[in-house]
Amino acid sequence: MTTHDNDAFKPIATVDLAIFSLSPAGLSVLLVRRANAPFAGDRALPGGWVHIDEDADLEAAARRVLKEKTGVETPYLEQLQTTGSRSRDPRGWSISIVYIALLSADAVAKRQDLMAEEAEWRPIEGEGVGLSLAFDHASLLKEALARIRGKVEYSSLPGHLLPVRFTLSELQSVYETLLGRKLDKSAFRKRMAEADFLEPVEGEMRRASNRPAQMFRLKDAQSLVLFDRRI
Amino acid sequence: MTTHDNDAFKPIATVDLAIFSLSPAGLSVLLVRRANAPFAGDRALPGGWVHIDEDADLEAAARRVLKEKTGVETPYLEQLQTTGSRSRDPRGWSISIVYIALLSADAVAKRQDLMAEEAEWRPIEGEGVGLSLAFDHASLLKEALARIRGKVEYSSLPGHLLPVRFTLSELQSVYETLLGRKLDKSAFRKRMAEADFLEPVEGEMRRASNRPAQMFRLKDAQSLVLFDRRI
DNA sequence: CTAATAGTGTCTATCAGACAATATTTT
DNA sequence: AAAATATTGTCTGATAGACACTATTAG
Protein backbone atom coordinates (compact mmCIF):
# COMPACT_ATOMS: atom_id res chain seq x y z
CA MET A 1 0.00 0.00 0.00
CA THR A 2 1.39 3.40 -0.95
CA THR A 3 1.36 6.19 1.58
CA HIS A 4 0.88 9.34 -0.45
CA ASP A 5 -2.63 9.38 0.96
CA ASN A 6 -2.48 10.23 4.63
CA ASP A 7 -4.95 8.20 6.64
CA ALA A 8 -5.79 11.22 8.75
CA PHE A 9 -7.50 12.68 5.70
CA LYS A 10 -9.77 9.71 5.14
CA PRO A 11 -13.44 9.96 6.03
CA ILE A 12 -15.04 7.47 8.41
CA ALA A 13 -16.99 4.74 6.59
CA THR A 14 -19.98 2.95 8.08
CA VAL A 15 -22.69 0.67 6.81
CA ASP A 16 -26.18 1.26 8.19
CA LEU A 17 -29.26 -0.89 7.69
CA ALA A 18 -32.96 -0.18 7.52
CA ILE A 19 -34.30 -3.64 8.37
CA PHE A 20 -38.02 -4.09 7.86
CA SER A 21 -40.52 -6.76 8.76
CA LEU A 22 -44.27 -7.07 9.25
CA SER A 23 -45.57 -7.08 12.78
CA PRO A 24 -49.19 -7.09 13.92
CA ALA A 25 -48.94 -3.31 13.95
CA GLY A 26 -47.91 -3.26 10.28
CA LEU A 27 -44.55 -2.45 8.75
CA SER A 28 -41.83 -2.23 11.41
CA VAL A 29 -38.18 -1.29 11.45
CA LEU A 30 -35.41 -2.61 13.66
CA LEU A 31 -33.76 -0.03 15.92
CA VAL A 32 -30.91 -0.35 18.39
CA ARG A 33 -30.15 1.73 21.46
CA ARG A 34 -26.72 3.26 21.27
CA ALA A 35 -24.41 2.30 24.14
CA ASN A 36 -21.63 4.81 23.45
CA ALA A 37 -21.13 8.43 22.51
CA PRO A 38 -22.05 10.13 20.34
CA PHE A 39 -25.81 9.97 20.83
CA ALA A 40 -25.44 7.44 23.69
CA GLY A 41 -28.87 6.20 24.74
CA ASP A 42 -30.57 7.27 21.51
CA ARG A 43 -32.15 4.91 19.05
CA ALA A 44 -30.43 4.37 15.74
CA LEU A 45 -30.49 2.18 12.67
CA PRO A 46 -28.24 -0.86 13.18
CA GLY A 47 -24.85 -0.29 11.62
CA GLY A 48 -21.14 -0.38 12.06
CA TRP A 49 -17.75 0.44 10.68
CA VAL A 50 -16.57 -1.23 7.54
CA HIS A 51 -14.02 -3.77 8.79
CA ILE A 52 -11.36 -3.82 6.13
CA ASP A 53 -9.71 -6.93 7.57
CA GLU A 54 -12.94 -8.87 7.82
CA ASP A 55 -15.39 -7.67 5.15
CA ALA A 56 -14.64 -8.57 1.53
CA ASP A 57 -16.97 -5.86 0.22
CA LEU A 58 -19.74 -3.49 1.28
CA GLU A 59 -22.50 -6.03 0.92
CA ALA A 60 -20.56 -8.46 3.10
CA ALA A 61 -20.31 -5.74 5.73
CA ALA A 62 -24.07 -5.22 5.55
CA ARG A 63 -24.70 -8.96 5.89
CA ARG A 64 -22.38 -9.10 8.86
CA VAL A 65 -24.26 -6.34 10.67
CA LEU A 66 -27.57 -7.97 9.80
CA LYS A 67 -26.49 -11.32 11.19
CA GLU A 68 -25.12 -9.74 14.36
CA LYS A 69 -28.40 -7.99 15.08
CA THR A 70 -30.98 -10.49 13.86
CA GLY A 71 -29.34 -13.86 13.25
CA VAL A 72 -30.77 -13.82 9.71
CA GLU A 73 -28.37 -14.67 6.90
CA THR A 74 -30.37 -14.69 3.66
CA PRO A 75 -32.71 -11.75 3.47
CA TYR A 76 -33.67 -9.54 0.59
CA LEU A 77 -30.92 -6.92 0.64
CA GLU A 78 -30.64 -3.81 -1.49
CA GLN A 79 -28.36 -0.80 -1.44
CA LEU A 80 -30.35 2.38 -0.92
CA GLN A 81 -28.04 5.36 -1.02
CA THR A 82 -24.89 6.83 0.43
CA THR A 83 -24.68 9.98 2.47
CA GLY A 84 -21.50 11.68 3.51
CA SER A 85 -20.65 15.03 4.98
CA ARG A 86 -18.44 16.72 7.50
CA SER A 87 -21.34 17.43 9.84
CA ARG A 88 -23.38 14.26 10.16
CA ASP A 89 -21.09 12.67 12.77
CA PRO A 90 -19.42 14.80 15.47
CA ARG A 91 -16.35 12.56 15.29
CA GLY A 92 -15.51 13.83 11.82
CA TRP A 93 -16.18 13.58 8.09
CA SER A 94 -18.22 10.42 7.73
CA ILE A 95 -19.83 8.34 5.03
CA SER A 96 -22.79 6.03 5.55
CA ILE A 97 -23.72 3.43 2.95
CA VAL A 98 -27.33 2.53 3.66
CA TYR A 99 -28.90 -0.82 2.85
CA ILE A 100 -32.52 -1.91 3.02
CA ALA A 101 -33.24 -5.45 4.24
CA LEU A 102 -36.61 -7.18 4.23
CA LEU A 103 -37.14 -10.06 6.63
CA SER A 104 -39.77 -12.70 6.10
CA ALA A 105 -42.19 -13.21 8.97
CA ASP A 106 -40.78 -16.74 9.37
CA ALA A 107 -37.25 -15.50 9.87
CA VAL A 108 -38.35 -12.96 12.45
CA ALA A 109 -40.26 -15.55 14.47
CA LYS A 110 -37.65 -18.30 14.31
CA ARG A 111 -34.67 -16.10 15.04
CA GLN A 112 -36.27 -14.17 17.86
CA ASP A 113 -33.82 -15.77 20.31
CA LEU A 114 -30.85 -14.75 18.18
CA MET A 115 -31.84 -11.12 18.11
CA ALA A 116 -29.38 -8.74 19.68
CA GLU A 117 -30.45 -7.64 23.12
CA GLU A 118 -30.31 -3.95 22.37
CA ALA A 119 -32.45 -4.32 19.23
CA GLU A 120 -36.21 -3.81 19.06
CA TRP A 121 -38.92 -3.67 16.41
CA ARG A 122 -40.67 -0.36 16.11
CA PRO A 123 -43.81 0.18 13.99
CA ILE A 124 -43.70 2.74 11.20
CA GLU A 125 -45.97 5.73 11.63
CA GLY A 126 -46.12 7.99 8.62
CA GLU A 127 -42.60 8.86 7.53
CA GLY A 128 -40.77 7.51 10.56
CA VAL A 129 -41.10 5.97 13.99
CA GLY A 130 -42.20 8.92 16.09
CA LEU A 131 -38.82 9.04 17.83
CA SER A 132 -35.78 11.16 17.26
CA LEU A 133 -32.93 9.04 15.98
CA ALA A 134 -29.15 9.41 16.24
CA PHE A 135 -27.10 11.07 13.48
CA ASP A 136 -29.16 11.66 10.32
CA HIS A 137 -30.87 8.30 10.70
CA ALA A 138 -34.38 9.78 10.74
CA SER A 139 -33.69 11.17 7.30
CA LEU A 140 -32.17 7.88 6.11
CA LEU A 141 -35.22 5.99 7.37
CA LYS A 142 -37.48 8.42 5.55
CA GLU A 143 -35.62 7.75 2.30
CA ALA A 144 -35.83 4.01 2.86
CA LEU A 145 -39.59 4.23 3.38
CA ALA A 146 -39.98 6.28 0.22
CA ARG A 147 -38.04 3.67 -1.74
CA ILE A 148 -40.10 0.82 -0.33
CA ARG A 149 -43.42 2.52 -0.87
CA GLY A 150 -42.47 3.43 -4.40
CA LYS A 151 -41.52 -0.13 -5.23
CA VAL A 152 -44.70 -1.63 -3.83
CA GLU A 153 -46.54 -0.09 -6.76
CA TYR A 154 -44.62 -2.00 -9.36
CA SER A 155 -42.66 -4.88 -7.86
CA SER A 156 -42.81 -8.12 -5.93
CA LEU A 157 -41.35 -6.42 -2.86
CA PRO A 158 -44.20 -7.24 -0.42
CA GLY A 159 -43.64 -10.94 -1.07
CA HIS A 160 -40.39 -10.74 0.87
CA LEU A 161 -42.17 -9.70 4.06
CA LEU A 162 -44.49 -12.72 4.27
CA PRO A 163 -43.68 -16.16 5.61
CA VAL A 164 -42.06 -18.47 3.07
CA ARG A 165 -45.45 -19.96 2.19
CA PHE A 166 -48.51 -17.76 1.80
CA THR A 167 -51.81 -17.46 -0.03
CA LEU A 168 -52.74 -14.92 -2.69
CA SER A 169 -55.20 -13.35 -0.29
CA GLU A 170 -52.47 -12.85 2.27
CA LEU A 171 -50.19 -11.35 -0.36
CA GLN A 172 -52.94 -9.00 -1.51
CA SER A 173 -53.48 -7.98 2.08
CA VAL A 174 -49.81 -6.99 2.45
CA TYR A 175 -49.95 -4.94 -0.74
CA GLU A 176 -53.04 -3.20 0.60
CA THR A 177 -51.40 -2.49 3.95
CA LEU A 178 -48.31 -0.97 2.35
CA LEU A 179 -50.26 0.97 -0.27
CA GLY A 180 -52.93 2.14 2.13
CA ARG A 181 -55.74 1.31 -0.28
CA LYS A 182 -57.89 -1.62 -1.33
CA LEU A 183 -57.13 -3.55 -4.52
CA ASP A 184 -59.44 -5.45 -6.84
CA LYS A 185 -59.04 -9.16 -6.32
CA SER A 186 -59.41 -10.10 -9.96
CA ALA A 187 -56.98 -7.49 -11.25
CA PHE A 188 -54.52 -8.34 -8.49
CA ARG A 189 -54.40 -12.01 -9.43
CA LYS A 190 -54.00 -11.22 -13.11
CA ARG A 191 -51.03 -8.99 -12.27
CA MET A 192 -49.38 -11.61 -10.05
CA ALA A 193 -49.84 -14.26 -12.72
CA GLU A 194 -48.26 -12.21 -15.48
CA ALA A 195 -45.44 -11.01 -13.23
CA ASP A 196 -44.54 -14.68 -12.84
CA PHE A 197 -42.57 -14.57 -9.58
CA LEU A 198 -44.68 -17.03 -7.59
CA GLU A 199 -44.88 -20.79 -7.72
CA PRO A 200 -47.56 -22.95 -6.13
CA VAL A 201 -46.54 -25.37 -3.40
CA GLU A 202 -48.29 -28.47 -2.11
CA GLY A 203 -50.39 -28.06 0.97
CA GLU A 204 -53.46 -26.12 1.87
CA MET A 205 -54.53 -23.61 4.42
CA ARG A 206 -57.79 -23.45 6.20
CA ARG A 207 -58.38 -21.06 9.03
CA ALA A 208 -62.13 -21.48 9.17
CA SER A 209 -64.94 -23.34 7.55
CA ASN A 210 -64.31 -22.27 4.02
CA ARG A 211 -62.67 -23.20 0.80
CA PRO A 212 -58.94 -23.85 1.27
CA ALA A 213 -56.51 -21.62 -0.59
CA GLN A 214 -53.59 -22.56 -2.78
CA MET A 215 -50.27 -21.73 -1.17
CA PHE A 216 -47.41 -20.04 -3.01
CA ARG A 217 -43.79 -19.20 -2.47
CA LEU A 218 -41.39 -16.83 -4.19
CA LYS A 219 -39.50 -18.38 -7.08
CA ASP A 220 -36.42 -16.46 -5.91
CA ALA A 221 -36.30 -15.35 -2.28
CA GLN A 222 -33.42 -12.94 -2.86
CA SER A 223 -34.48 -10.94 -5.90
CA LEU A 224 -37.14 -8.46 -6.85
CA VAL A 225 -39.35 -8.70 -9.93
CA LEU A 226 -40.40 -5.41 -11.49
CA PHE A 227 -43.80 -5.17 -13.16
CA ASP A 228 -44.44 -3.61 -16.55
CA ARG A 229 -47.14 -1.40 -15.09
CA ARG A 230 -48.37 -0.30 -11.74
CA ILE A 231 -50.33 -2.74 -9.73
CA MET B 1 -12.08 14.19 16.89
CA THR B 2 -11.67 11.11 19.04
CA THR B 3 -9.02 8.59 18.20
CA HIS B 4 -10.47 5.23 19.20
CA ASP B 5 -10.82 4.56 15.49
CA ASN B 6 -7.40 4.00 13.98
CA ASP B 7 -7.07 5.70 10.61
CA ALA B 8 -5.07 2.77 9.25
CA PHE B 9 -8.28 0.74 9.35
CA LYS B 10 -10.28 3.15 7.25
CA PRO B 11 -11.04 2.36 3.63
CA ILE B 12 -10.10 4.78 0.87
CA ALA B 13 -13.04 6.91 -0.30
CA THR B 14 -13.36 8.28 -3.82
CA VAL B 15 -16.09 9.91 -5.87
CA ASP B 16 -16.29 8.86 -9.53
CA LEU B 17 -18.47 10.37 -12.23
CA ALA B 18 -20.13 9.00 -15.33
CA ILE B 19 -20.55 12.25 -17.27
CA PHE B 20 -22.72 11.98 -20.37
CA SER B 21 -23.50 14.24 -23.29
CA LEU B 22 -24.77 13.94 -26.82
CA SER B 23 -22.22 14.09 -29.61
CA PRO B 24 -22.83 13.58 -33.34
CA ALA B 25 -22.03 9.91 -32.72
CA GLY B 26 -24.80 9.67 -30.10
CA LEU B 27 -24.53 9.31 -26.36
CA SER B 28 -20.96 9.86 -25.16
CA VAL B 29 -19.15 9.58 -21.87
CA LEU B 30 -16.20 11.60 -20.59
CA LEU B 31 -13.05 9.61 -19.90
CA VAL B 32 -9.67 10.67 -18.57
CA ARG B 33 -6.30 9.11 -19.09
CA ARG B 34 -4.67 8.18 -15.81
CA ALA B 35 -1.30 9.83 -15.21
CA ASN B 36 -0.24 7.81 -12.18
CA ALA B 37 -0.20 4.26 -10.91
CA PRO B 38 -2.22 2.19 -10.55
CA PHE B 39 -3.48 1.74 -14.11
CA ALA B 40 -1.25 4.57 -15.37
CA GLY B 41 -2.05 5.31 -19.01
CA ASP B 42 -5.44 3.60 -18.89
CA ARG B 43 -8.74 5.39 -19.40
CA ALA B 44 -10.98 5.86 -16.40
CA LEU B 45 -14.08 7.67 -15.28
CA PRO B 46 -13.16 11.10 -13.86
CA GLY B 47 -12.94 10.98 -10.11
CA GLY B 48 -10.95 11.78 -7.06
CA TRP B 49 -10.53 11.43 -3.34
CA VAL B 50 -13.06 12.91 -1.02
CA HIS B 51 -11.28 15.99 0.36
CA ILE B 52 -12.46 16.23 3.92
CA ASP B 53 -11.01 19.69 4.40
CA GLU B 54 -12.55 21.06 1.21
CA ASP B 55 -15.78 19.17 0.42
CA ALA B 56 -18.78 19.80 2.66
CA ASP B 57 -20.49 16.61 1.50
CA LEU B 58 -20.36 13.92 -1.16
CA GLU B 59 -22.34 15.88 -3.70
CA ALA B 60 -19.97 18.82 -3.26
CA ALA B 61 -17.07 16.49 -3.96
CA ALA B 62 -18.81 15.30 -7.13
CA ARG B 63 -19.44 18.88 -8.26
CA ARG B 64 -15.82 19.75 -7.60
CA VAL B 65 -14.58 16.89 -9.79
CA LEU B 66 -17.07 17.83 -12.48
CA LYS B 67 -15.95 21.43 -12.54
CA GLU B 68 -12.29 20.45 -12.63
CA LYS B 69 -12.79 18.24 -15.66
CA THR B 70 -15.44 20.10 -17.64
CA GLY B 71 -15.82 23.63 -16.27
CA VAL B 72 -19.57 22.97 -15.89
CA GLU B 73 -21.15 23.92 -12.57
CA THR B 74 -24.88 23.26 -12.82
CA PRO B 75 -25.56 19.94 -14.49
CA TYR B 76 -28.14 17.31 -13.78
CA LEU B 77 -26.44 15.24 -11.08
CA GLU B 78 -27.67 12.01 -9.52
CA GLN B 79 -26.09 9.48 -7.21
CA LEU B 80 -25.95 6.07 -8.86
CA GLN B 81 -24.50 3.55 -6.44
CA THR B 82 -21.58 2.82 -4.18
CA THR B 83 -19.14 -0.02 -4.61
CA GLY B 84 -16.53 -1.00 -2.10
CA SER B 85 -14.25 -3.98 -1.68
CA ARG B 86 -10.76 -4.97 -0.70
CA SER B 87 -9.86 -5.94 -4.26
CA ARG B 88 -11.05 -3.15 -6.56
CA ASP B 89 -8.02 -0.93 -5.91
CA PRO B 90 -4.56 -2.43 -5.46
CA ARG B 91 -3.73 0.28 -2.92
CA GLY B 92 -6.19 -1.18 -0.44
CA TRP B 93 -9.81 -1.44 0.67
CA SER B 94 -11.58 1.25 -1.30
CA ILE B 95 -15.03 2.72 -1.70
CA SER B 96 -16.29 4.52 -4.78
CA ILE B 97 -19.43 6.62 -4.69
CA VAL B 98 -20.55 6.95 -8.29
CA TYR B 99 -22.54 9.86 -9.67
CA ILE B 100 -24.19 10.31 -13.05
CA ALA B 101 -24.03 13.78 -14.63
CA LEU B 102 -25.84 14.87 -17.78
CA LEU B 103 -24.46 17.86 -19.66
CA SER B 104 -26.53 19.92 -22.03
CA ALA B 105 -25.16 20.28 -25.55
CA ASP B 106 -24.78 24.02 -24.87
CA ALA B 107 -22.57 23.47 -21.87
CA VAL B 108 -20.35 21.08 -23.74
CA ALA B 109 -19.85 23.48 -26.64
CA LYS B 110 -19.32 26.62 -24.56
CA ARG B 111 -16.98 25.05 -22.03
CA GLN B 112 -14.87 23.18 -24.53
CA ASP B 113 -11.92 25.45 -23.68
CA LEU B 114 -12.31 24.75 -19.98
CA MET B 115 -12.19 21.02 -20.42
CA ALA B 116 -9.30 19.30 -18.74
CA GLU B 117 -6.55 18.37 -21.12
CA GLU B 118 -6.52 14.70 -20.27
CA ALA B 119 -10.29 14.38 -20.75
CA GLU B 120 -12.02 13.19 -23.92
CA TRP B 121 -15.52 12.29 -25.06
CA ARG B 122 -15.98 8.72 -26.11
CA PRO B 123 -19.14 7.42 -27.83
CA ILE B 124 -21.11 4.63 -26.17
CA GLU B 125 -21.21 1.35 -28.04
CA GLY B 126 -23.54 -1.19 -26.54
CA GLU B 127 -22.80 -1.54 -22.84
CA GLY B 128 -19.55 0.42 -22.77
CA VAL B 129 -16.95 2.23 -24.82
CA GLY B 130 -15.07 -0.64 -26.43
CA LEU B 131 -12.02 0.03 -24.24
CA SER B 132 -10.82 -1.58 -21.08
CA LEU B 133 -11.06 0.87 -18.21
CA ALA B 134 -9.09 1.21 -14.98
CA PHE B 135 -10.33 -0.35 -11.71
CA ASP B 136 -13.92 -1.62 -12.00
CA HIS B 137 -14.93 1.40 -14.04
CA ALA B 138 -16.18 -0.65 -16.98
CA SER B 139 -18.68 -2.25 -14.64
CA LEU B 140 -19.62 1.11 -13.12
CA LEU B 141 -20.17 2.55 -16.58
CA LYS B 142 -22.38 -0.41 -17.48
CA GLU B 143 -24.51 0.23 -14.41
CA ALA B 144 -24.76 3.92 -15.26
CA LEU B 145 -25.92 3.09 -18.77
CA ALA B 146 -28.52 0.69 -17.44
CA ARG B 147 -29.85 3.38 -15.11
CA ILE B 148 -30.01 5.96 -17.89
CA ARG B 149 -31.64 3.65 -20.38
CA GLY B 150 -34.18 2.55 -17.82
CA LYS B 151 -35.11 6.11 -16.97
CA VAL B 152 -35.55 7.19 -20.59
CA GLU B 153 -38.69 5.04 -20.69
CA TYR B 154 -40.46 6.99 -18.00
CA SER B 155 -38.77 10.30 -17.28
CA SER B 156 -37.68 13.65 -18.66
CA LEU B 157 -34.04 12.55 -18.61
CA PRO B 158 -33.29 13.13 -22.33
CA GLY B 159 -34.24 16.78 -21.93
CA HIS B 160 -31.06 17.34 -19.95
CA LEU B 161 -28.86 16.34 -22.86
CA LEU B 162 -30.21 18.91 -25.33
CA PRO B 163 -29.29 22.58 -25.61
CA VAL B 164 -31.19 24.84 -23.25
CA ARG B 165 -33.72 25.63 -25.98
CA PHE B 166 -35.05 22.90 -28.26
CA THR B 167 -38.08 21.85 -30.26
CA LEU B 168 -40.39 18.94 -29.59
CA SER B 169 -39.10 17.23 -32.71
CA GLU B 170 -35.54 17.45 -31.44
CA LEU B 171 -36.60 16.12 -28.06
CA GLN B 172 -38.41 13.23 -29.69
CA SER B 173 -35.33 12.50 -31.72
CA VAL B 174 -33.20 12.21 -28.58
CA TYR B 175 -35.71 9.85 -26.99
CA GLU B 176 -35.62 7.75 -30.16
CA THR B 177 -31.82 7.68 -30.18
CA LEU B 178 -31.60 6.55 -26.57
CA LEU B 179 -34.44 4.06 -26.86
CA GLY B 180 -33.31 2.70 -30.18
CA ARG B 181 -36.81 2.78 -31.64
CA LYS B 182 -39.20 5.17 -33.35
CA LEU B 183 -42.00 6.87 -31.43
CA ASP B 184 -45.38 8.09 -32.58
CA LYS B 185 -45.41 11.87 -32.84
CA SER B 186 -48.94 12.32 -31.59
CA ALA B 187 -48.55 10.07 -28.57
CA PHE B 188 -45.17 11.60 -27.78
CA ARG B 189 -46.57 15.11 -27.65
CA LYS B 190 -49.49 14.02 -25.51
CA ARG B 191 -47.08 12.45 -23.04
CA MET B 192 -44.84 15.51 -22.90
CA ALA B 193 -47.86 17.76 -22.34
CA GLU B 194 -49.22 15.74 -19.45
CA ALA B 195 -45.77 15.29 -17.89
CA ASP B 196 -45.66 19.08 -17.69
CA PHE B 197 -41.91 19.66 -17.44
CA LEU B 198 -41.51 21.93 -20.48
CA GLU B 199 -42.33 25.55 -21.02
CA PRO B 200 -42.50 27.35 -24.35
CA VAL B 201 -40.03 30.13 -25.07
CA GLU B 202 -39.92 32.76 -27.77
CA GLY B 203 -37.82 32.06 -30.79
CA GLU B 204 -38.00 30.04 -33.94
CA MET B 205 -36.08 27.26 -35.50
CA ARG B 206 -36.02 26.77 -39.23
CA ARG B 207 -33.49 24.59 -40.95
CA ALA B 208 -35.23 24.57 -44.33
CA SER B 209 -38.27 25.91 -46.07
CA ASN B 210 -40.86 24.63 -43.70
CA ARG B 211 -43.12 25.58 -40.87
CA PRO B 212 -41.14 26.94 -37.89
CA ALA B 213 -41.36 25.07 -34.62
CA GLN B 214 -42.15 26.30 -31.14
CA MET B 215 -39.12 26.18 -28.88
CA PHE B 216 -39.19 24.86 -25.35
CA ARG B 217 -36.97 24.71 -22.29
CA LEU B 218 -37.02 22.62 -19.13
CA LYS B 219 -39.00 24.17 -16.29
CA ASP B 220 -36.29 22.93 -13.92
CA ALA B 221 -32.84 22.24 -15.36
CA GLN B 222 -31.67 20.31 -12.31
CA SER B 223 -34.48 17.85 -11.63
CA LEU B 224 -36.06 14.89 -13.29
CA VAL B 225 -39.79 14.40 -13.84
CA LEU B 226 -41.07 10.84 -13.68
CA PHE B 227 -44.00 9.84 -15.88
CA ASP B 228 -46.99 7.85 -14.72
CA ARG B 229 -46.52 5.35 -17.51
CA ARG B 230 -43.92 4.41 -20.02
CA ILE B 231 -43.43 6.71 -22.94
C1' DC C 1 -47.83 25.40 -56.43
C1' DT C 2 -44.39 22.15 -54.26
C1' DA C 3 -41.62 20.53 -50.64
C1' DA C 4 -40.82 19.96 -46.02
C1' DT C 5 -41.67 19.78 -41.35
C1' DA C 6 -44.91 21.29 -37.36
C1' DG C 7 -48.84 20.29 -35.05
C1' DT C 8 -53.72 18.22 -34.35
C1' DG C 9 -57.47 15.04 -34.93
C1' DT C 10 -59.77 10.42 -35.34
C1' DC C 11 -60.59 5.65 -35.09
C1' DT C 12 -60.18 1.16 -33.02
C1' DA C 13 -58.39 -2.77 -30.65
C1' DT C 14 -57.04 -3.49 -26.17
C1' DC C 15 -57.35 -3.50 -21.28
C1' DA C 16 -57.84 -2.00 -16.36
C1' DG C 17 -61.32 -1.65 -12.96
C1' DA C 18 -65.80 -2.62 -11.21
C1' DC C 19 -68.78 -6.05 -10.37
C1' DA C 20 -70.78 -10.54 -10.42
C1' DA C 21 -70.95 -15.49 -10.64
C1' DT C 22 -69.21 -19.91 -9.53
C1' DA C 23 -66.28 -23.28 -6.67
C1' DT C 24 -64.96 -25.68 -2.56
C1' DT C 25 -64.71 -26.49 1.93
C1' DT C 26 -66.60 -26.94 7.33
C1' DT C 27 -70.33 -26.97 10.40
C1' DA D 1 -78.23 -26.03 3.39
C1' DA D 2 -75.61 -22.04 5.34
C1' DA D 3 -71.48 -19.59 5.82
C1' DA D 4 -67.17 -18.21 4.42
C1' DT D 5 -63.55 -17.49 1.44
C1' DA D 6 -61.14 -18.82 -3.11
C1' DT D 7 -61.15 -18.38 -7.89
C1' DT D 8 -62.81 -17.13 -12.39
C1' DG D 9 -65.69 -14.63 -15.67
C1' DT D 10 -68.03 -10.57 -17.88
C1' DC D 11 -68.97 -5.96 -19.06
C1' DT D 12 -67.73 -1.24 -19.96
C1' DG D 13 -65.42 3.13 -20.12
C1' DA D 14 -60.91 4.82 -21.00
C1' DT D 15 -56.92 5.11 -23.89
C1' DA D 16 -52.50 3.90 -26.35
C1' DG D 17 -51.05 3.36 -30.89
C1' DA D 18 -51.66 3.66 -35.76
C1' DC D 19 -52.79 6.61 -39.16
C1' DA D 20 -54.29 10.60 -41.49
C1' DC D 21 -55.23 15.30 -41.88
C1' DT D 22 -54.33 20.35 -41.51
C1' DA D 23 -50.92 24.39 -40.81
C1' DT D 24 -47.11 27.29 -42.00
C1' DT D 25 -43.11 28.50 -43.99
C1' DA D 26 -39.37 29.11 -48.23
C1' DG D 27 -38.63 29.00 -52.81
Side-chain angles (χ1 to χ4, degrees), chain A residues 12-15 47-58 61-62 64-65 95 97, chain B residues 9-11 84-85 93 95:
Chain A
I12 300 162
T14 67
V15 169
W49 310 99
V50 173
H51 294 175
I52 67 175
D53 50 348
E54 183 180 354
D55 304 321
D57 56 31
L58 287 173
R64 176 177 53 75
V65 170
I95 292 172
I97 300 104
Chain B
F9 291 107
K10 289 180 185 173
S85 78
W93 222 107
I95 292 172

Side-chain angles (χ1 to χ4, degrees), chain A residues 136-150:
Chain A
D136 52 0
H137 287 193
S139 144
L140 301 182
L141 175 58
K142 187 177 165 184
E143 289 294 329
L145 284 170
R147 166 83 66 101
I148 285 182
R149 286 172 175 152

Side-chain angles (χ1 to χ4, degrees), chain A residues 1-2 4-13 37 49-59 61 79-87 90-93 95 97 99 147 154 227-230, chain B residues 1-2 4-13 37 49-59 61 79-87 90-93 95 97 99 147 154 227-230:
Chain A
M1 191 184 308
T2 64
H4 74 275
D5 51 291
N6 187 317
D7 280 338
F9 291 108
K10 288 181 186 173
I12 300 162
W49 310 99
V50 173
H51 294 175
I52 67 175
D53 50 348
E54 183 180 354
D55 304 321
D57 56 31
L58 287 173
E59 188 173 311
Q79 190 183 292
L80 171 64
Q81 65 174 190
T82 300
T83 56
S85 78
R86 65 160 61 104
S87 58
R91 290 167 293 186
W93 222 107
I95 292 172
I97 300 104
Y99 282 81
R147 166 83 66 101
Y154 63 97
F227 307 159
D228 281 346
R229 310 169 190 252
R230 292 196 171 178
Chain B
M1 193 185 306
T2 65
H4 73 276
D5 50 291
N6 188 318
D7 280 337
F9 291 107
K10 289 180 185 173
I12 300 162
W49 311 99
V50 172
H51 292 175
I52 67 175
D53 50 346
E54 183 179 355
D55 305 320
D57 55 31
L58 288 173
E59 188 173 310
Q79 190 183 292
L80 172 64
Q81 64 174 190
T82 300
T83 56
S85 78
R86 65 160 61 104
S87 59
R91 290 168 293 186
W93 222 107
I95 292 172
I97 300 104
Y99 282 81
R147 167 82 65 102
Y154 64 96
F227 306 159
D228 281 346
R229 310 168 190 253
R230 292 196 172 179

Side-chain angles (χ1 to χ4, degrees), chain A residues 167-176 179 181-194 198 210-214 216 231:
Chain A
T167 68
L168 287 177
S169 293
E170 292 169 333
L171 182 60
Q172 181 174 345
S173 172
V174 177
Y175 271 91
E176 289 172 343
L179 288 171
R181 68 170 200 269
K182 288 288 178 181
L183 297 173
D184 181 82
K185 186 162 49 167
S186 177
F188 179 78
R189 283 159 188 251
K190 273 184 238 167
R191 189 54 46 85
M192 294 303 109
E194 76 189 23
L198 298 174
N210 57 13
R211 176 175 173 174
Q214 176 66 55
F216 292 87
I231 200 166

Side-chain angles (χ1 to χ4, degrees), chain A residues 47-224:
Chain A
W49 310 99
V50 173
H51 294 175
I52 67 175
D53 50 348
E54 183 180 354
D55 304 321
D57 56 31
L58 287 173
E59 188 173 311
R63 290 186 186 278
R64 176 177 53 75
V65 170
L66 182 71
K67 190 181 174 193
E68 286 169 5
K69 302 299 179 192
T70 68
V72 176
E73 299 196 47
T74 57
Y76 171 75
L77 191 65
E78 165 187 335
Q79 190 183 292
L80 171 64
Q81 65 174 190
T82 300
T83 56
S85 78
R86 65 160 61 104
S87 58
R88 60 181 297 280
D89 186 324
R91 290 167 293 186
W93 222 107
S94 83
I95 292 172
S96 167
I97 300 104
V98 185
Y99 282 81
I100 290 176
L102 304 181
L103 266 48
S104 87
D106 281 347
V108 175
K110 287 178 187 165
R111 309 301 180 118
Q112 193 64 41
D113 52 328
L114 293 175
M115 249 199 20
E117 194 181 337
E118 76 279 16
E120 61 168 2
W121 291 105
R122 187 89 195 179
I124 298 297
E125 296 162 9
E127 295 190 331
V129 288
L131 283 173
S132 69
L133 300 181
F135 305 106
D136 52 0
H137 287 193
S139 144
L140 301 182
L141 175 58
K142 187 177 165 184
E143 289 294 329
L145 284 170
R147 166 83 66 101
I148 285 182
R149 286 172 175 152
K151 283 201 170 178
V152 172
E153 288 279 0
Y154 63 97
S155 84
S156 63
L157 185 143
H160 295 275
L161 291 167
L162 284 162
V164 174
R165 289 156 32 118
F166 50 84
T167 68
L168 287 177
S169 293
E170 292 169 333
L171 182 60
Q172 181 174 345
S173 172
V174 177
Y175 271 91
E176 289 172 343
T177 298
L178 296 178
L179 288 171
R181 68 170 200 269
K182 288 288 178 181
L183 297 173
D184 181 82
K185 186 162 49 167
S186 177
F188 179 78
R189 283 159 188 251
K190 273 184 238 167
R191 189 54 46 85
M192 294 303 109
E194 76 189 23
D196 192 35
F197 66 95
L198 298 174
E199 60 185 5
V201 293
E202 296 310 310
E204 291 181 348
M205 140 167 285
R206 51 184 80 84
R207 268 195 300 260
S209 54
N210 57 13
R211 176 175 173 174
Q214 176 66 55
M215 305 215 67
F216 292 87
R217 68 169 160 237
L218 301 176
K219 284 186 175 176
D220 182 341
Q222 247 101 294
S223 74
L224 215 61

